[in-house]
């Protein structure tokens, strides 16, 4: 009793969405409805100076409630589908240190708003890719972030009711508290899998270039291994302070960071992978273990990727040697005549274009939203 199963929800209008939110409020302790006037006061009428983040579904504002509680307020824009909002409602029934806490909701006319616990240190990308904040993120803090990400994903993938696939893991969606405790956020793209289902298909592929699993982008196939791939990329980026770039015009499926890291791992040059701002303040044996696990997670074939429970076991082992070696990424092509790359920054909807000038269809390109 009290369980609300979102897997088969077919939300077609605002009225149904209000009813769903009301049922979630009744079923989930600590999840409450906010008055729209409260939201306006907290955000100073959605002032631009209160914006702390944005994405494909809307903007996030910092707000302070009358009793002093600071919160994050997500205002969904007109491009967001009702299902994007209802997907996030899954968070109301989740309780984990490393998953963002959803506190409440507000629907007023066309306004769709969710209220979250506020995380004072912002998103991970503001730290690992920043010249000022990067050096402050020492090796122990980076390990804490990786371990928190592992624990959060194990919780989502092994949830007792339904396994949750995030589908859009990236540094922007990993937010940090003052003590660098990590929270996984932005579940607008999340999907649930029944215990007896290993993978599903979708015609609406969402995500960000550099983090999307090779089987997901072209075929719309997603599974728990989709998140495992993104996790591997996040670990390599956290170690190196580098972004993973997909070389679309050369048939790349995993990214330049994965290729470089694999070569460094093979040649035992992993000290070259480590963010230079760390100096010598790291344990090379730990770097080798975490990098190898990351490369195993970033394998092109999902069958070759470990489950997150296996990742947790490998990283908690006292042994620094791992039983499996990552396979070398596929070789890049030399590119083709008439190929071009276009990234649509205004929409998460996937378009398909033919990018070869040959008379025979040789390649299909997915155009994927990439945030600035």
């Amino acid at each position: 009793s009290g369980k609300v199963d979102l897997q088969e929800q077919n939300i077609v209008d605002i009225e149904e969405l209000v009813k769903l939110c009301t049922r979630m409020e009744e079923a989930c302790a600590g999840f409450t409805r906010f008055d729209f006037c409260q939201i306006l006061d907290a955000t100073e009428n959605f002032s631009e100076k209160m914006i702390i983040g944005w994405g494909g579904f809307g903007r996030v504002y910092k707000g302070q409630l009358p009793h002093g509680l600071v919160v994050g307020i997500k205002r969904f824009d007109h491009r967001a589908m009702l299902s994007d909002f209802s997907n996030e409602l899954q968070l109301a029934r989740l309780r984990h240190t490393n998953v963002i806490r959803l506190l409440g909701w507000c629907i007023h006319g066309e306004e769709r708003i969710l209220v979250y616990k506020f995380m004072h240190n912002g998103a991970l990308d503001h730290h690992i890719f920043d010249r000022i904040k990067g050096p402050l993120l020492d090796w122990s803090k980076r390990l804490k972030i990786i371990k928190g990400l592992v624990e959060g994903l194990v919780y989502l993938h092994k949830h007792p009711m339904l396994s949750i696939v995030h589908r859009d893991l990236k540094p922007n969606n990993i937010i940090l508290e003052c003590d660098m405790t990590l929270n996984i956020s932005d579940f607008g793209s999340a999907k649930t899998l029944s215990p007896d289902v290993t993978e599903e298909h979708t015609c609406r592929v969402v995500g960000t270039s550099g983090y999307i699993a090779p089987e997901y982008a072209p075929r719309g196939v997603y599974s728990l291994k989709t998140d495992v791939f993104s996790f591997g990329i996040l670990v390599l980026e956290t170690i190196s302070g580098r972004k993973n770039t997909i070389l679309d015009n050369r048939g790349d499926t995993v990214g330049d960071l994965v290729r470089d890291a694999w070569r460094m791992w093979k040649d035992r040059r992993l000290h070259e992978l480590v963010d230079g701002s760390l100096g010598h303040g790291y344990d090379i044996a730990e770097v080798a273990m975490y990098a190898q696990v990351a490369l195993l997670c970033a394998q092109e074939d999902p069958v070759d990727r470990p489950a997150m429970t296996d990742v947790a076991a490998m990283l908690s082992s006292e042994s620094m040697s791992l039983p499996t070696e990552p396979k070398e990424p596929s070789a890049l092509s030399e590119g083709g005549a008439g190929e071009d790359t276009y990234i649509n920054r205004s929409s998460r909807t996937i378009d398909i274009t033919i990018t070869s000038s040959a008379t025979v269809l040789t390649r299909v390109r997915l155009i994927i939203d990439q945030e600035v």
Side-chain angles (χ1 to χ4, degrees):
S1 63
K3 291 183 181 179
V4 179
D5 185 358
L6 301 183
Q7 189 178 32
E8 299 300 329
Q9 289 288 346
N10 183 22
I11 307 301
V12 296
D13 59 30
I14 291 293
E15 253 183 56
E16 288 188 13
L17 198 60
V18 170
K19 290 177 182 178
L20 175 59
C21 289
T22 302
R23 292 200 301 273
M24 292 294 287
E25 186 178 349
E26 293 170 352
C28 304
F31 182 63
T32 186
R33 182 172 191 167
F34 287 87
D35 185 81
F36 188 61
C37 291
Q38 285 180 289
I39 302 297
L40 289 177
D41 290 342
T43 60
E44 298 181 17
N45 200 21
F46 297 115
S47 169
E48 287 194 5
K49 70 179 182 180
M50 305 297 283
I51 295 174
I52 55 174
W54 56 88
F57 298 138
R59 294 183 173 186
V60 181
Y61 299 79
K62 180 179 179 180
Q64 184 168 347
L65 300 177
H67 54 283
L69 179 66
V70 179
V71 294
I73 297 173
K74 178 181 282 192
R75 184 190 192 189
F76 287 73
D77 64 25
H78 67 279
R79 294 176 301 167
M81 298 172 64
L82 295 181
S83 60
D84 299 329
F85 185 97
S86 62
N87 284 345
E88 292 252 9
L89 286 177
Q90 298 176 82
L91 286 167
R93 55 188 173 88
L94 302 183
R95 294 289 185 274
H96 192 273
T97 304
N98 301 116
V99 176
I100 192 68
R101 178 75 180 273
L102 180 59
L103 302 175
W105 63 284
C106 173
I107 294 178
H108 178 82
E110 295 299 313
E111 295 282 0
R112 295 162 290 167
I113 294 163
L114 290 175
V115 180
Y116 303 83
K117 176 185 176 183
F118 183 74
M119 302 292 282
H120 293 80
N121 249 336
L124 178 60
D125 64 316
H126 296 156
H127 295 266
I128 58 176
F129 302 138
D130 189 273
R131 293 181 180 179
I132 305 299
K133 294 182 179 180
L136 302 177
L137 205 62
D138 61 26
W139 180 243
S140 64
K141 290 176 181 175
R142 296 184 193 224
L143 286 186
K144 181 177 181 178
I145 288 168
I146 295 171
K147 290 175 181 177
L149 186 53
V150 172
E151 292 175 11
L153 286 174
V154 168
Y155 171 77
L156 293 174
H157 289 185
K158 301 297 289 183
H159 195 271
M161 284 185 271
L162 288 169
S163 297
I164 299 173
V165 188
H166 187 281
R167 296 202 307 166
D168 195 21
L169 290 172
K170 57 185 176 180
N172 311 57
N173 292 338
I174 306 301
I175 51 179
L176 306 169
E177 190 51 281
C178 293
D179 63 353
M180 304 311 286
T181 296
L182 167 153
N183 270 197
I184 301 170
S185 70
D186 197 347
F187 282 71
S189 303
K191 292 290 185 181
T192 55
L193 291 175
S194 300
D196 58 338
V197 176
T198 57
E199 67 178 32
E200 289 280 8
H201 293 73
T202 181
C203 57
R204 186 177 182 237
V205 176
V206 292
T208 303
S209 180
Y211 305 92
I212 298 179
E215 72 280 3
Y216 179 46
R219 297 186 288 119
V221 177
Y222 65 88
S223 66
L224 299 179
K225 297 294 185 73
T226 304
D227 285 351
V228 173
F229 179 87
S230 303
F231 166 79
I233 304 300
L234 282 167
V235 173
L236 293 177
E237 290 187 336
T238 302
I239 292 172
S240 66
R242 284 178 51 189
K243 292 185 179 182
N244 186 45
T245 303
I246 299 292
L247 306 175
D248 286 303
N249 62 345
R250 299 190 63 189
D252 194 1
T253 57
V254 294
D256 63 340
L257 179 56
V258 176
R259 296 177 186 285
D260 290 347
W262 186 88
R263 284 191 291 268
M264 292 171 188
W265 169 81
K266 191 68 175 177
D267 299 339
R268 298 186 179 180
R269 296 183 288 113
L270 280 172
H271 60 280
E272 297 178 22
L273 178 67
V274 181
D275 190 335
S277 67
L278 292 177
H280 297 288
Y282 60 88
D283 184 330
I284 190 60
E286 285 184 329
V287 169
M289 179 175 68
Y290 278 80
Q292 184 171 339
V293 169
L295 288 169
L296 288 170
C297 292
Q299 295 285 274
E300 290 165 279
D301 189 338
V303 174
D304 295 328
R305 297 174 211 151
M308 286 308 304
T309 49
D310 296 327
V311 169
M314 286 188 282
L315 294 180
S316 63
S317 173
E318 294 182 1
S319 172
M320 289 293 184
S321 59
L322 299 176
T324 309
E325 295 191 355
K327 297 177 181 178
E328 180 178 6
S330 299
L332 297 177
S333 68
E334 294 301 319
E339 288 192 344
D340 193 17
T341 301
Y342 173 72
I343 299 176
N344 181 352
R345 296 181 183 274
S346 64
S347 173
R348 281 176 174 257
T349 302
I350 299 304
D351 300 313
I352 301 177
T353 51
I354 305 303
T355 60
S356 172
S357 60
T359 55
V360 179
L361 179 109
T362 57
R363 186 175 178 186
V364 175
R365 173 72 46 79
L366 286 173
I367 302 170
I368 305 166
D369 163 47
Q370 184 178 32
E371 295 180 1
V372 178

